[in-house]
Amino acid sequence: MRPTSPRRALPALLVVLLALCCSFGVASPALAKEGDQPAYSAAEPPALSSAHALLMDYDTGTVLLDKGSHERAYPASTTKIMTALLTLENVGLDEMVTVTEADLAEISWDSSVAQLKAGDTLSVRDLLAGLLIPSGNDAAYVLARYVGGGDWHAFVDMMNERAAQLGCTDTHFVNPCGLHDDNHYTTAADLALMFREALKHPEFAEISSQSTWELPATEVSPARELEATDDLIDPESPVYMGDAIVASKTGTTREGGRCLVTLAERDGMSLLGVTLGAPMEVDADGVGPNFYDMRSLLEWGFGAWRTGEVVSVGDALGTAEVSLSADGDEVEALATSAIVATVPADTTLEDLTLTPSWGEAFQAPLSEGASLGEVTVALGERELGTVTVGAARAMALSIPDFAIWWLTSDPVHTVLAVVIVAAVCVVIGLAAGASSRARRRRRRATSSPHRRAVARSVQPSRLRPPAKKKGKHVGSHMRQ
């Protein structure tokens, strides 16, 4: 085979690198562009047969649909979410456990089982598969006894204690598997808390998302295949959702109805759904209404909602008034942080309510990027978050405007200015008088004797002419 030229491979490599760069660390925008028309409407949730339901965005915790999620209900085998959580938190997956006769003594005739037999020695991982995939009550009691230190009742005490730690306010367990008991109850909201905690362990999702699982042969049993009870991950089912299902747990009892807890992902969005108390009847394909409810919830959630940046760094979030500036009376406020939220898919920037933290004008000078405070962003009555904002450009100070403002902003400033002006006038007057006197002195001091003599010679004589003698005339004088 002829090797590929490095020059020919370079463009393809660049494309791959660009795609990778775009796929990491960039939050996609959540706001719709003008003209976008989602296939679903957030204002029109699907009709459900389940008595209780909850749909939320897994990443932001935003509740998209709530149908009695805080009302008590019987959880059936969704109880095993807590059983799996405590197992993952307390023992290793590779530890080996042997099934005993006592473990199987509590199993009722109508229980779902993982085909375990007394004497089977299996890993905790395989027992978790038996617990989650076929929803085996037998696996539940084996794990409860093992994790509980030899007593499954002690394990149930651990279940109730852990539920309280998670903030489950309406949950009480009586057994590790979900067999009906009037005092064994929870809520859709509490189950969501347990499910989120279990998902912190990758093995929970890895195991619960499998449609089949091969149990190895033991000394008392041949190898066997476990099949999932979740139709959403069954390729032959009419409600199959493929790889969108990340993790799930089913549950069914006559008193609790059909129940389901699911995490699904699509196009970077993760949704957590809970349905409790769906009717027991199934359709011609053997699919229960809980699966149709969950599929409807998930499709509606993915179609009618978006999770991403509703505000990005650099977005203009209005203007701020600026006084005493030579560059105008206002400046754009640009976001310097971002908000990621879950909003209806047709939400636009005009639908958001922006509330700035400032109420008065800023005073110039302002530098570009100068902090203006914060802007709270809301959609209807729901607050989405708060971002910091900065000035879009520099705003220079107007010296004349500042001078006028300073003079008029405080009477003391006005009086002080008058005093200063008067003092300056006095000083200027005194200086002018002193300067005039100094000039005269300099003129007198610098005049020479010759100049004084000349000055006197050109002045009219102040001497009187000699008086004439009476009786004498000039002519007579000359005749003598």
Side-chain angles (χ1 to χ4, degrees), residues 80-102:
K80 293 171 178 135
I81 295 170
M82 176 59 79
T83 303
L85 172 61
L86 286 175
T87 299
L88 290 165
E89 289 180 337
N90 289 280
V91 298
L93 291 174
D94 295 324
E95 295 181 31
M96 303 302 293
V97 182
T98 300
V99 180
T100 68
E101 291 286 354

Side-chain angles (χ1 to χ4, degrees), residues 246-434:
V246 176
S248 68
K249 184 67 198 78
T250 60
T252 304
T253 61
R254 184 173 58 257
E255 296 83 0
R258 295 188 179 275
C259 308
L260 183 60
V261 185
T262 300
L263 176 68
E265 289 183 355
R266 182 182 293 169
D267 298 330
M269 188 177 186
S270 300
L271 298 178
L272 192 162
V274 182
T275 58
L276 300 175
M280 291 294 292
E281 294 79 16
V282 298
D283 66 6
D285 295 307
V287 179
N290 56 328
F291 297 112
Y292 286 105
D293 280 357
M294 184 61 72
R295 185 182 65 171
S296 296
L297 276 176
L298 296 175
E299 294 293 351
W300 173 74
F302 288 130
W305 298 80
R306 292 287 182 272
T307 296
E309 289 188 350
V310 294
V311 174
S312 302
V313 174
D315 283 351
L317 302 182
T319 59
E321 186 180 352
V322 181
S323 63
L324 310 181
S325 174
D327 298 314
D329 298 327
E330 61 183 21
V331 64
E332 274 194 320
L334 302 185
T336 56
S337 59
I339 293 177
V340 175
T342 303
V343 296
D346 57 356
T347 302
T348 64
L349 187 61
E350 288 71 25
D351 297 320
L352 303 179
T353 301
L354 308 175
T355 306
S357 62
W358 60 90
E360 298 180 353
F362 293 90
Q363 183 173 303
L366 289 176
S367 60
E368 181 179 351
S371 176
L372 299 178
E374 297 177 335
V375 172
T376 300
V377 181
L379 179 63
E381 297 182 356
R382 179 162 66 100
E383 184 175 315
L384 303 181
T386 301
V387 292
T388 53
V389 294
R393 58 192 177 95
M395 302 291 284
L397 178 66
S398 170
I399 300 302
D401 289 346
F402 177 79
I404 294 172
W405 168 82
W406 189 88
L407 288 172
T408 59
S409 63
D410 191 329
V412 174
H413 293 173
T414 305
V415 172
L416 182 60
V418 170
V419 171
I420 292 174
V421 170
V424 169
C425 291
V426 170
V427 170
I428 291 174
L430 293 174

Side-chain angles (χ1 to χ4, degrees), residues 6 25 103 124 135 157 209 213 334 347 430:
D103 295 331
V124 169
S135 196
D157 292 337
S209 62
W213 189 278
L334 302 185
T347 302
L430 293 174

Side-chain angles (χ1 to χ4, degrees), residues 23-47:
S23 62
F24 290 103
V26 179
S28 59
L31 298 185
K33 296 180 180 179
E34 187 176 354
D36 288 351
Q37 293 294 331
Y40 295 85
S41 171
E44 299 177 4

Side-chain angles (χ1 to χ4, degrees), residues 147-332:
V147 178
D151 183 1
W152 67 264
H153 296 90
F155 182 84
V156 172
D157 292 337
M158 294 170 62
M159 295 171 70
N160 288 315
E161 181 181 354
R162 190 71 176 98
Q165 291 174 353
L166 292 175
C168 300
T169 57
D170 280 293
T171 293
H172 186 264
F173 297 115
V174 173
N175 57 65
C177 62
L179 284 172
H180 179 72
D181 187 292
D182 288 347
N183 203 33
H184 187 105
Y185 54 82
T186 188
T187 67
D190 283 359
L191 272 174
L193 290 175
M194 297 179 233
F195 199 59
R196 291 178 69 93
E197 194 68 18
L199 287 166
K200 293 180 179 179
H201 302 271
E203 299 84 2
F204 178 82
E206 176 188 347
I207 295 172
S208 67
S209 62
Q210 301 300 312
S211 59
T212 61
W213 189 278
E214 296 293 330
L215 282 184
T218 68
E219 292 183 0
V220 297
S221 300
R224 70 219 94 157
E225 184 180 72
L226 305 178
E227 293 185 358
T229 57
D230 187 353
D231 287 335
L232 297 179
I233 59 176
D234 180 3
E236 303 300 322
S237 168
V239 292
Y240 177 62
M241 294 191 68
D243 294 336
I245 304 303
V246 176
S248 68
K249 184 67 198 78
T250 60
T252 304
T253 61
R254 184 173 58 257
E255 296 83 0
R258 295 188 179 275
C259 308
L260 183 60
V261 185
T262 300
L263 176 68
E265 289 183 355
R266 182 182 293 169
D267 298 330
M269 188 177 186
S270 300
L271 298 178
L272 192 162
V274 182
T275 58
L276 300 175
M280 291 294 292
E281 294 79 16
V282 298
D283 66 6
D285 295 307
V287 179
N290 56 328
F291 297 112
Y292 286 105
D293 280 357
M294 184 61 72
R295 185 182 65 171
S296 296
L297 276 176
L298 296 175
E299 294 293 351
W300 173 74
F302 288 130
W305 298 80
R306 292 287 182 272
T307 296
E309 289 188 350
V310 294
V311 174
S312 302
V313 174
D315 283 351
L317 302 182
T319 59
E321 186 180 352
V322 181
S323 63
L324 310 181
S325 174
D327 298 314
D329 298 327
E330 61 183 21
V331 64
E332 274 194 320

